[in-house]
Amino acid sequence: MHVRAFIEEMERLAPPYLAEDFDAGKIGLIVEGKTTIETVCCALDATPSVVKRAVAGNADMLLVHHTPLWTPLTSLTGPTAALMRDVLASGMNIYVMHTNFDHAECGVNDALAELLSLENTESMTLGLTGDCSLSVKEIANRLDCPVRVWGKIKKIQRLAVVGGSGFDPLFIAEAKERGADAFLSAELKHSVYRAAPLPCIEATHYALEAPAMKRLAAQRDWRFIDDAPVLHSVP
Amino acid sequence: MHVRAFIEEMERLAPPYLAEDFDAGKIGLIVEGKTTIETVCCALDATPSVVKRAVAGNADMLLVHHTPLWTPLTSLTGPTAALMRDVLASGMNIYVMHTNFDHAECGVNDALAELLSLENTESMTLGLTGDCSLSVKEIANRLDCPVRVWGKIKKIQRLAVVGGSGFDPLFIAEAKERGADAFLSAELKHSVYRAAPLPCIEATHYALEAPAMKRLAAQRDWRFIDDAPVLHSVP
Amino acid sequence: MHVRAFIEEMERLAPPYLAEDFDAGKIGLIVEGKTTIETVCCALDATPSVVKRAVAGNADMLLVHHTPLWTPLTSLTGPTAALMRDVLASGMNIYVMHTNFDHAECGVNDALAELLSLENTESMTLGLTGDCSLSVKEIANRLDCPVRVWGKIKKIQRLAVVGGSGFDPLFIAEAKERGADAFLSAELKHSVYRAAPLPCIEATHYALEAPAMKRLAAQRDWRFIDDAPVLHSVP
Amino acid sequence: MHVRAFIEEMERLAPPYLAEDFDAGKIGLIVEGKTTIETVCCALDATPSVVKRAVAGNADMLLVHHTPLWTPLTSLTGPTAALMRDVLASGMNIYVMHTNFDHAECGVNDALAELLSLENTESMTLGLTGDCSLSVKEIANRLDCPVRVWGKIKKIQRLAVVGGSGFDPLFIAEAKERGADAFLSAELKHSVYRAAPLPCIEATHYALEAPAMKRLAAQRDWRFIDDAPVLHSVP
Amino acid sequence: MHVRAFIEEMERLAPPYLAEDFDAGKIGLIVEGKTTIETVCCALDATPSVVKRAVAGNADMLLVHHTPLWTPLTSLTGPTAALMRDVLASGMNIYVMHTNFDHAECGVNDALAELLSLENTESMTLGLTGDCSLSVKEIANRLDCPVRVWGKIKKIQRLAVVGGSGFDPLFIAEAKERGADAFLSAELKHSVYRAAPLPCIEATHYALEAPAMKRLAAQRDWRFIDDAPVLHSVP
Amino acid sequence: MHVRAFIEEMERLAPPYLAEDFDAGKIGLIVEGKTTIETVCCALDATPSVVKRAVAGNADMLLVHHTPLWTPLTSLTGPTAALMRDVLASGMNIYVMHTNFDHAECGVNDALAELLSLENTESMTLGLTGDCSLSVKEIANRLDCPVRVWGKIKKIQRLAVVGGSGFDPLFIAEAKERGADAFLSAELKHSVYRAAPLPCIEATHYALEAPAMKRLAAQRDWRFIDDAPVLHSVP
């Protein structure tokens, strides 16, 4: 498959116009390599470990959610130089789907809803709400990460979920209005918690976004390369 | 004591020039009430619960770390109107020490060092490093909150601590350079973890900053009003 | 009447979309108090005197043209704290209609036209022109304030009026083009006078804008609270 | 006298570094004409009438307080073209001293103090305060213009004066602190009056600034060209 | 002919809405003089020499491509004062057509195409491409200026031309896409050359833009005043 | 030699603090490769041809004047990806000295002065002036590029030179004041020529800046890689 055909396919899946403005220039074909794509690998981040495993697996394309070139650069030094050396020397392409995939129909939040068996889902500005039959413990199990519960939860009937760093006061207010009992996302700030009208379940950024990449890989018969944070709770 | 005398005393403790630029207009006497100060209460945040308890205790002054008027406002509505009604109607003053207290000699980070029994401490741009003889579990006990450990920690010999939301890549790099084995703060972002050269111990914002207010209250014989987040880890 | 119903009624009278951009966040319900509105007072400004008289009259709502919270604030001190204490402690609401009322059909300039018996009026970008049968002295009488006449006026046949601080060179040029003989507004600057193609009649800001609030109060059977500047001309 | 020598003399009188930033490029030799200066005229503004009279008087230099080219221009049309035609065709220079003359020792405010016989004067950030033995009526006589008195004045003992448009809340607060009973300036805004801690005497911009130009002309034996606004109060 | 009629005619020829944003306020009637236009002169720039010759020829109107008042000014000194003195004293008008004439149908680029006998022309974002039967030497002859050739040209079949300073990477890329073999314009930068996908023929700004003014003069029976740069190549 | 030692040496030669603000982040070690530097190549630009020749010559370090990463980038595609692939895959470093080398004592302009045998040189804000005994033809020979002469030159006695794109009106005015007869630089704009008080000799950017790199290579026994623009004048 020519790289142009691959790009067209990905743009159908996660149209670039769905991306937030801050993603301008930071999605799509971020590193250009070979023009023929046979082997595709998929991961959440292009970490050094992910890149080495993809290159070792002769990947022609590495599809990720987070670009490795976020901050505009005028030099290639340190870890970025090392990473780009591995990528460019191998001829592997890197393609990024970020907030366009967050907003896409079969994207990040849809994968979360499936993983958590949410029913009767309803879209929000970002993320969605759905009927939830899981306990917090079961949610943590499905996500495969410890979670922190802020506030008191008796029983969750309607759960709001936003993949990534989604604890925005506006989103929480919207979830409340739509009847949610709890809000699941990552990276909760103290000041947001203080004003939150709903109890918050804080998982990790990785645990909420990796499922969408993993599911996509499974659907297309690509290899998913897992690289979860090393994390444990004490006590 | 006249309110002016109280202000002078606090300015000696946490001089306003130590504050970050973003705190301009957001520290000092934030709500002006009675001019005679007899009863002082002290808390981390001016939450509705804290304010009600302070007013019920006939406080003339409520000293807090976080201003209740962070976002510049041109109207007084909703929860802010309710809070200000309680405060203004009672004549209670609110005084804020924020980043000036973070940077002060006997401030937020110094209180943390004492709580964690750090020795041979050395100041950083923000926060400090010190010899640590506690395990992560003991740290969590002292802070009275569950913590999340990111990365692998064998034994901590030199610990870096930054009260509040201090996981800044520049601070972590500085801590690494100064020989720290681990970095303790709150509100760690995924992208920061990915590039961090040190394992990170993530406590809560409250657990890291409340000790300084509590210690100050104890020293001056003021009442400390506790209002910790309701939080537990699963599993 | 519920406060929401009151707001809807005012928004019909002076729709928020008519306001200038600089009024964003500075019109509408500026101080939120009781939810049931029985007694309404009306004034041009929420001065300390106006607020005290409204509170003494058990007003649930004070409707004004100029917001008391113009400059965005991150503290409540001095006269603003004193004013807000009176307002919040009483539970009185404050509602503001500013440039939306200037531009409204039955608003500030329409009330001026009626007060000055202007006929065959025609709208301008701001304010209006109309046939005038009054002398300058009669105008001053109707406005109940001394006026200053800049330039030479023989007889006014067609008068342009802009309530408030309306001596803008573009508005004066528009008035000239539309056939006006004189321009009535407040707060004339030297440089504007120097280039003005029309003689200017300078009243006070208060005298030009209060009539609209007074008329509105009369129409709705509300109490109008007058608080005109203390002013006299010498010689 | 060569024009360079004239400029040096004026720069000693009102050094350019005393000017406000907004005067950058708007003071000094604003229109360049003949290099030999014999006849100098002096006025507050370079109005068409002033320019015609200066040209008719064979002036080589017209010294004014307000530049005729305030707004940066990329065309010469309408009244500005007509004015510049008169100036350039005659070879007359125009030299401007603005806020540098306001702040100069023998400048605008010093001339006002002399005109009003103020004693024991003290400089403020802008303008000055002085002991005053005149009534408001006598002040109006000396200034040769009707004044408006805002607020109640019994007897003025210490008067603050700021030439031009000087009713700035910060200046009024400073005057109050320095013991002034009243504040004399021009172009008072409604919102400033509402918060003013002192009664305000509002003269005209011209009446406050022309005396300095007139005095300067008298000192140097230049011709002063008067062009006061045509103004009267009703009633 | 009244000057208004002249302006209307020019606005039909080169409609102001075709101009780039940076030309705002810098096209149209830039210096206003007599209202009756009998004699019109035409040139590329209003240089001192051009103005003197136009005035000597009793021109009522000087039509140019480049405004003499590009940088917004708050003073008239030095060469600009001298130039404006000549213009204003004579009562001659100056009218400017700049980027609106570049984009006009019968404008700058169209005149170039005619001069170089380009056929089957096609418009670009700016400028055009056309079949070219001239050698580089013949192009230099027609333009009446030495040219510099950057890169290797064998035979030009399809030439892209942009009058003025048109070596923009985006325009060169567009020309390449449209099948051009070479790109003719003025003022080539080193960095643009380094990345250019086409050989570049660098003429002078004057040689590329004067033909349009000359042709316009010929069509209307106006006098064209030539003032080409004094230029020669070595060796 | 360790790369750090190489950097220190270059920073002594062309101290970073001499660079213009716009060079922030664009000078110094721009691409990081091997840490041991044995073979150094030197060129004006890191063009694809220069990079290929340097890599073929086993260079560990390529020293250039112009960074290949001028525009901040968030992707590596097209020609930049191809260039960086060659550089990173080989492990070659790229080090940039730009405006710091322009301003350095033994830098760009000093090399030009030597090449043109200028005597009694005097520094300007940028560039220098010196006594010149060459004709324009000899200057063109020494620079090894055709030049364009704008204006009339009889005999050059005192020549101003500014390497690179130095035809700035302020620099030309400074040169005139310092007694120069002619100004040598590159990339002259029409509008600058129109107002220039001196005749201008326009060489190429490359011809003026390459000599400094060539001289530096000769001094250090590095290889200079020439890649002059392909350029000829017609006629």
Side-chain angles (χ1 to χ4, degrees):
Chain A
M1 178 190 261
H2 193 275
V3 67
R4 285 296 133 201
F6 179 88
I7 290 172
E8 278 166 26
E9 205 177 311
M10 291 303 102
E11 293 190 344
R12 272 193 298 277
L13 185 69
Y17 69 82
L18 291 179
E20 302 286 339
D21 288 349
F22 57 69
D23 261 339
K26 300 180 180 177
I27 56 170
L29 191 66
I30 288 302
V31 182
E32 187 175 355
K34 300 167 194 165
T35 52
T36 303
I37 307 300
E38 291 181 0
T39 306
V40 178
C41 286
C42 190
L44 190 73
D45 306 298
T47 61
S49 160
V50 162
V51 163
K52 277 185 199 309
R53 283 185 273 165
V55 168
N58 293 315
D60 305 307
M61 171 62 77
L62 174 63
L63 178 73
V64 293
H65 189 53
H66 296 133
T67 178
L69 300 175
W70 180 263
T71 307
L73 50 80
T74 53
S75 66
L76 280 170
T77 58
T80 305
L83 193 77
M84 286 301 125
R85 179 171 299 119
D86 285 353
V87 177
L88 288 171
S90 74
M92 183 174 73
N93 294 273
I94 296 183
Y95 188 88
V96 174
M97 304 189 308
H98 190 214
T99 51
N100 47 335
F101 195 45
D102 289 344
H103 292 106
E105 270 187 37
C106 303
V108 165
N109 292 297
D110 180 71
L112 263 179
E114 187 185 317
L115 183 69
L116 300 176
S117 307
L118 300 186
E119 291 183 356
N120 302 317
T121 58
E122 204 184 340
S123 289
M124 300 198 298
T125 304
L126 189 65
L128 44 78
T129 57
D131 294 337
C132 176
S133 56
L134 306 183
S135 67
V136 172
K137 197 173 168 190
E138 287 164 329
I139 290 172
N141 279 344
R142 295 264 180 113
L143 292 173
D144 193 20
C145 91
V147 304
R148 300 201 288 191
V149 179
W150 299 77
K152 285 181 193 158
I153 295 180
K154 286 178 197 170
K155 191 182 176 329
I156 305 169
Q157 295 198 308
R158 188 90 185 153
L159 179 68
V161 296
V162 177
S165 179
F167 284 117
D168 182 300
L170 295 174
F171 300 158
I172 306 176
E174 186 184 356
K176 166 90 176 177
E177 246 173 54
R178 288 169 182 277
D181 314 300
F183 195 101
L184 167 66
S185 191
E187 299 172 8
L188 177 62
K189 289 183 181 177
H190 176 71
S191 58
V192 173
Y193 161 71
R194 278 301 195 204
L198 284 180
C200 296
I201 307 173
E202 187 190 15
T204 64
H205 203 114
Y206 188 89
L208 295 173
E209 296 191 332
M213 303 311 280
K214 196 170 180 177
R215 184 175 76 167
L216 180 62
Q219 286 163 351
R220 310 255 166 170
D221 212 15
W222 298 334
R223 177 176 159 210
F224 175 71
I225 303 180
D226 196 11
D227 189 20
V230 175
L231 169 69
H232 68 282
S233 284
V234 177
Chain B
M1 176 188 264
H2 193 275
V3 68
R4 287 295 135 204
F6 179 87
I7 290 172
E8 278 165 26
E9 205 176 311
M10 290 302 104
E11 291 190 346
R12 272 194 297 279
L13 184 70
Y17 69 82
L18 292 179
E20 302 287 339
D21 288 349
F22 57 70
D23 262 339
K26 300 181 180 177
I27 57 171
L29 192 66
I30 288 303
V31 182
E32 188 175 354
K34 301 167 192 164
T35 53
T36 303
I37 308 298
E38 290 182 3
T39 305
V40 178
C41 286
C42 188
L44 190 73
D45 306 299
T47 61
S49 160
V50 162
V51 163
K52 279 184 197 312
R53 284 185 273 165
V55 168
N58 293 316
D60 305 307
M61 170 62 75
L62 174 63
L63 177 73
V64 291
H65 189 54
H66 296 134
T67 179
L69 299 176
W70 180 262
T71 306
L73 50 81
T74 52
S75 66
L76 280 170
T77 58
T80 305
L83 193 76
M84 288 300 124
R85 178 172 297 119
D86 285 353
V87 177
L88 288 171
S90 74
M92 182 174 72
N93 294 273
I94 295 183
Y95 188 88
V96 175
M97 304 188 307
H98 189 215
T99 52
N100 48 334
F101 195 44
D102 289 343
H103 291 107
E105 270 187 36
C106 302
V108 165
N109 292 296
D110 181 71
L112 263 179
E114 187 184 319
L115 183 68
L116 301 176
S117 308
L118 299 187
E119 294 185 353
N120 303 316
T121 57
E122 206 184 339
S123 289
M124 298 199 299
T125 305
L126 189 66
L128 45 79
T129 58
D131 295 336
C132 177
S133 56
L134 306 183
S135 66
V136 172
K137 197 172 169 190
E138 288 164 328
I139 291 173
N141 279 343
R142 296 266 179 110
L143 293 173
D144 194 20
C145 89
V147 303
R148 299 201 288 191
V149 179
W150 299 77
K152 284 180 193 159
I153 295 180
K154 289 178 198 172
K155 190 181 179 326
I156 304 170
Q157 295 198 306
R158 188 89 186 156
L159 180 68
V161 296
V162 178
S165 179
F167 285 117
D168 183 300
L170 294 174
F171 300 160
I172 305 176
E174 186 184 356
K176 165 89 178 179
E177 245 173 55
R178 289 170 182 275
D181 314 300
F183 195 102
L184 169 65
S185 191
E187 297 172 10
L188 177 63
K189 289 183 182 177
H190 177 71
S191 58
V192 173
Y193 161 70
R194 279 300 194 203
L198 284 179
C200 295
I201 307 174
E202 188 190 15
T204 65
H205 203 111
Y206 188 88
L208 296 173
E209 296 191 332
M213 304 311 280
K214 196 170 182 178
R215 184 176 76 166
L216 180 63
Q219 287 164 351
R220 312 253 165 172
D221 214 15
W222 297 335
R223 175 175 161 213
F224 174 73
I225 304 180
D226 197 12
D227 190 18
V230 175
L231 168 69
H232 68 282
S233 283
V234 177
Chain C
M1 177 189 265
H2 193 275
V3 68
R4 287 296 133 201
F6 179 86
I7 290 173
E8 278 165 28
E9 203 176 311
M10 290 304 103
E11 292 190 345
R12 272 193 298 277
L13 184 70
Y17 70 81
L18 291 180
E20 301 287 339
D21 287 348
F22 58 70
D23 261 339
K26 300 180 179 178
I27 56 171
L29 190 67
I30 288 303
V31 182
E32 186 175 354
K34 300 166 192 166
T35 52
T36 303
I37 308 298
E38 290 182 2
T39 306
V40 179
C41 286
C42 189
L44 190 72
D45 306 298
T47 62
S49 159
V50 162
V51 163
K52 278 183 199 312
R53 282 184 274 164
V55 168
N58 292 316
D60 305 306
M61 171 62 75
L62 174 62
L63 178 73
V64 291
H65 189 53
H66 295 133
T67 179
L69 300 176
W70 179 261
T71 307
L73 50 81
T74 53
S75 66
L76 280 170
T77 59
T80 305
L83 193 76
M84 287 301 123
R85 179 171 298 118
D86 285 352
V87 177
L88 287 171
S90 74
M92 182 173 73
N93 294 273
I94 296 183
Y95 189 89
V96 175
M97 304 189 306
H98 190 216
T99 52
N100 48 334
F101 195 45
D102 289 343
H103 291 107
E105 269 186 39
C106 303
V108 165
N109 292 297
D110 181 71
L112 264 178
E114 188 186 317
L115 183 68
L116 300 176
S117 308
L118 300 187
E119 291 183 355
N120 302 316
T121 58
E122 204 183 341
S123 288
M124 299 200 297
T125 305
L126 189 66
L128 45 78
T129 58
D131 295 336
C132 176
S133 56
L134 306 182
S135 67
V136 172
K137 197 173 168 189
E138 289 164 327
I139 290 172
N141 279 344
R142 296 267 180 109
L143 292 174
D144 193 20
C145 90
V147 304
R148 300 200 288 192
V149 179
W150 299 78
K152 285 180 191 157
I153 294 179
K154 287 177 198 172
K155 190 184 177 326
I156 304 171
Q157 295 198 307
R158 187 89 185 157
L159 180 68
V161 296
V162 178
S165 179
F167 284 117
D168 183 301
L170 294 175
F171 300 158
I172 306 176
E174 186 184 355
K176 166 89 177 177
E177 244 172 57
R178 289 170 181 277
D181 314 300
F183 194 102
L184 168 66
S185 191
E187 299 173 8
L188 178 62
K189 289 183 182 176
H190 177 70
S191 57
V192 173
Y193 162 69
R194 279 300 192 205
L198 285 178
C200 295
I201 307 173
E202 187 190 16
T204 65
H205 203 112
Y206 188 89
L208 296 173
E209 297 192 331
M213 304 310 281
K214 197 171 181 176
R215 184 177 75 166
L216 180 62
Q219 287 163 351
R220 310 255 165 169
D221 212 16
W222 298 334
R223 175 175 161 211
F224 174 72
I225 304 180
D226 197 10
D227 189 20
V230 176
L231 168 71
H232 68 281
S233 284
V234 177
Chain D
M1 177 189 263
H2 193 274
V3 68
R4 286 296 135 200
F6 179 87
I7 290 172
E8 279 166 26
E9 205 176 311
M10 290 303 103
E11 293 190 345
R12 271 193 299 277
L13 185 70
Y17 70 82
L18 292 179
E20 301 287 340
D21 288 348
F22 58 69
D23 261 340
K26 300 181 180 177
I27 56 171
L29 191 67
I30 287 302
V31 182
E32 188 176 353
K34 300 166 191 165
T35 53
T36 303
I37 308 299
E38 291 182 3
T39 305
V40 178
C41 286
C42 189
L44 190 73
D45 307 298
T47 61
S49 159
V50 163
V51 163
K52 279 185 198 309
R53 283 184 274 164
V55 168
N58 292 316
D60 305 307
M61 171 62 76
L62 174 62
L63 179 73
V64 292
H65 189 53
H66 296 134
T67 179
L69 300 176
W70 180 260
T71 307
L73 52 79
T74 53
S75 66
L76 281 170
T77 59
T80 305
L83 193 77
M84 287 301 124
R85 178 171 299 117
D86 285 352
V87 178
L88 287 171
S90 75
M92 183 174 72
N93 293 274
I94 296 183
Y95 188 89
V96 174
M97 303 189 308
H98 190 214
T99 51
N100 48 335
F101 195 45
D102 289 344
H103 292 106
E105 270 187 36
C106 303
V108 164
N109 293 296
D110 181 72
L112 263 179
E114 189 186 317
L115 183 68
L116 300 176
S117 308
L118 299 187
E119 292 183 355
N120 302 316
T121 58
E122 206 185 337
S123 289
M124 299 199 298
T125 304
L126 189 66
L128 45 79
T129 57
D131 294 337
C132 176
S133 56
L134 306 183
S135 67
V136 172
K137 196 172 170 191
E138 287 164 329
I139 290 172
N141 279 343
R142 295 266 181 110
L143 292 174
D144 194 20
C145 89
V147 304
R148 300 201 286 193
V149 179
W150 299 77
K152 284 180 191 158
I153 295 179
K154 289 177 197 171
K155 190 183 177 324
I156 303 171
Q157 295 198 307
R158 188 89 185 156
L159 180 67
V161 296
V162 178
S165 179
F167 283 117
D168 183 299
L170 294 175
F171 300 159
I172 306 176
E174 186 184 356
K176 166 88 178 179
E177 245 173 56
R178 289 170 181 277
D181 314 301
F183 195 101
L184 168 65
S185 191
E187 298 172 9
L188 178 61
K189 288 182 181 178
H190 177 71
S191 57
V192 172
Y193 162 71
R194 279 299 193 205
L198 284 179
C200 296
I201 307 174
E202 187 190 16
T204 65
H205 203 113
Y206 188 89
L208 295 174
E209 296 191 331
M213 304 310 280
K214 196 170 182 177
R215 184 176 75 165
L216 180 63
Q219 286 164 350
R220 311 255 166 170
D221 213 14
W222 297 336
R223 177 177 160 210
F224 175 72
I225 304 179
D226 197 12
D227 190 21
V230 176
L231 169 70
H232 68 282
S233 283
V234 177
Chain E
M1 176 190 264
H2 193 275
V3 67
R4 286 296 135 203
F6 178 87
I7 290 172
E8 279 166 26
E9 204 177 311
M10 290 303 103
E11 292 191 344
R12 272 194 297 277
L13 185 68
Y17 70 81
L18 291 179
E20 301 287 338
D21 288 349
F22 57 70
D23 261 338
K26 300 181 180 178
I27 56 170
L29 192 67
I30 289 301
V31 183
E32 187 175 354
K34 302 166 191 164
T35 53
T36 303
I37 308 298
E38 291 183 2
T39 305
V40 178
C41 286
C42 190
L44 190 72
D45 306 299
T47 62
S49 160
V50 162
V51 163
K52 279 185 197 311
R53 283 185 273 165
V55 168
N58 293 317
D60 305 307
M61 171 61 76
L62 174 62
L63 178 73
V64 291
H65 189 54
H66 295 134
T67 178
L69 299 176
W70 179 262
T71 307
L73 51 79
T74 52
S75 66
L76 280 170
T77 59
T80 305
L83 193 77
M84 286 302 124
R85 179 171 298 118
D86 285 352
V87 177
L88 288 171
S90 74
M92 182 174 72
N93 294 274
I94 296 183
Y95 188 89
V96 175
M97 305 189 306
H98 189 216
T99 50
N100 48 334
F101 195 44
D102 289 343
H103 292 107
E105 268 186 39
C106 303
V108 165
N109 292 297
D110 181 71
L112 263 179
E114 186 185 318
L115 183 68
L116 300 176
S117 308
L118 299 186
E119 293 184 353
N120 302 316
T121 58
E122 206 184 340
S123 288
M124 299 198 299
T125 305
L126 189 66
L128 46 78
T129 57
D131 295 335
C132 176
S133 56
L134 305 183
S135 66
V136 172
K137 198 174 168 189
E138 288 165 328
I139 290 173
N141 279 344
R142 296 266 179 110
L143 292 174
D144 194 19
C145 91
V147 303
R148 299 200 289 192
V149 179
W150 300 76
K152 285 180 192 158
I153 295 179
K154 287 178 198 173
K155 190 181 178 328
I156 305 169
Q157 295 197 307
R158 190 87 185 157
L159 181 68
V161 296
V162 178
S165 179
F167 284 118
D168 182 301
L170 294 175
F171 300 159
I172 306 177
E174 186 183 357
K176 166 88 177 177
E177 245 174 55
R178 288 171 182 276
D181 314 300
F183 195 101
L184 169 66
S185 191
E187 297 172 10
L188 177 63
K189 288 183 182 178
H190 177 70
S191 59
V192 173
Y193 161 70
R194 279 301 193 203
L198 284 180
C200 296
I201 307 173
E202 187 190 15
T204 65
H205 203 112
Y206 189 89
L208 296 174
E209 297 192 330
M213 305 309 282
K214 197 171 181 177
R215 184 176 76 166
L216 180 63
Q219 286 163 351
R220 310 257 166 168
D221 213 15
W222 298 335
R223 176 175 160 211
F224 175 72
I225 304 180
D226 197 12
D227 191 19
V230 176
L231 169 69
H232 68 281
S233 283
V234 176
Chain F
M1 177 189 261
H2 193 276
V3 67
R4 285 297 134 200
F6 178 87
I7 290 172
E8 279 167 25
E9 205 177 311
M10 291 303 102
E11 292 190 344
R12 273 193 298 277
L13 185 69
Y17 70 82
L18 292 178
E20 302 286 339
D21 288 350
F22 58 70
D23 262 339
K26 300 181 179 178
I27 56 171
L29 191 66
I30 287 303
V31 182
E32 188 176 353
K34 300 166 191 164
T35 53
T36 303
I37 308 298
E38 291 182 1
T39 305
V40 179
C41 286
C42 189
L44 190 72
D45 306 298
T47 61
S49 160
V50 162
V51 163
K52 279 184 198 309
R53 283 185 273 165
V55 168
N58 292 314
D60 305 306
M61 171 61 76
L62 174 63
L63 178 72
V64 292
H65 189 54
H66 295 132
T67 179
L69 299 177
W70 180 262
T71 307
L73 50 81
T74 52
S75 65
L76 280 170
T77 58
T80 305
L83 193 76
M84 286 302 124
R85 179 171 298 120
D86 285 352
V87 177
L88 288 172
S90 75
M92 184 174 72
N93 292 274
I94 296 183
Y95 189 89
V96 175
M97 303 189 308
H98 190 215
T99 51
N100 48 334
F101 195 44
D102 289 345
H103 292 106
E105 270 188 36
C106 302
V108 165
N109 293 296
D110 180 71
L112 263 179
E114 187 186 317
L115 182 69
L116 300 176
S117 307
L118 300 186
E119 293 184 354
N120 302 318
T121 58
E122 207 185 337
S123 290
M124 300 199 298
T125 304
L126 189 66
L128 45 78
T129 58
D131 295 337
C132 176
S133 56
L134 305 183
S135 67
V136 172
K137 197 174 167 188
E138 288 164 328
I139 290 172
N141 279 343
R142 296 264 181 113
L143 293 174
D144 194 20
C145 90
V147 304
R148 300 201 286 192
V149 179
W150 299 78
K152 284 180 194 158
I153 295 179
K154 286 178 197 172
K155 190 182 176 328
I156 304 169
Q157 295 198 307
R158 189 89 186 155
L159 180 67
V161 296
V162 178
S165 178
F167 283 117
D168 182 298
L170 294 174
F171 299 159
I172 306 177
E174 186 184 356
K176 166 90 178 177
E177 246 174 54
R178 288 170 182 277
D181 314 301
F183 195 102
L184 169 64
S185 192
E187 298 172 10
L188 177 63
K189 288 183 182 178
H190 177 71
S191 58
V192 173
Y193 162 70
R194 279 301 194 203
L198 284 180
C200 295
I201 307 174
E202 187 191 15
T204 64
H205 203 112
Y206 188 89
L208 295 173
E209 296 192 331
M213 304 310 279
K214 196 171 181 176
R215 184 175 76 166
L216 179 63
Q219 286 164 352
R220 311 255 164 169
D221 213 14
W222 298 334
R223 177 176 160 210
F224 175 71
I225 303 180
D226 198 11
D227 190 19
V230 176
L231 169 70
H232 68 280
S233 283
V234 176

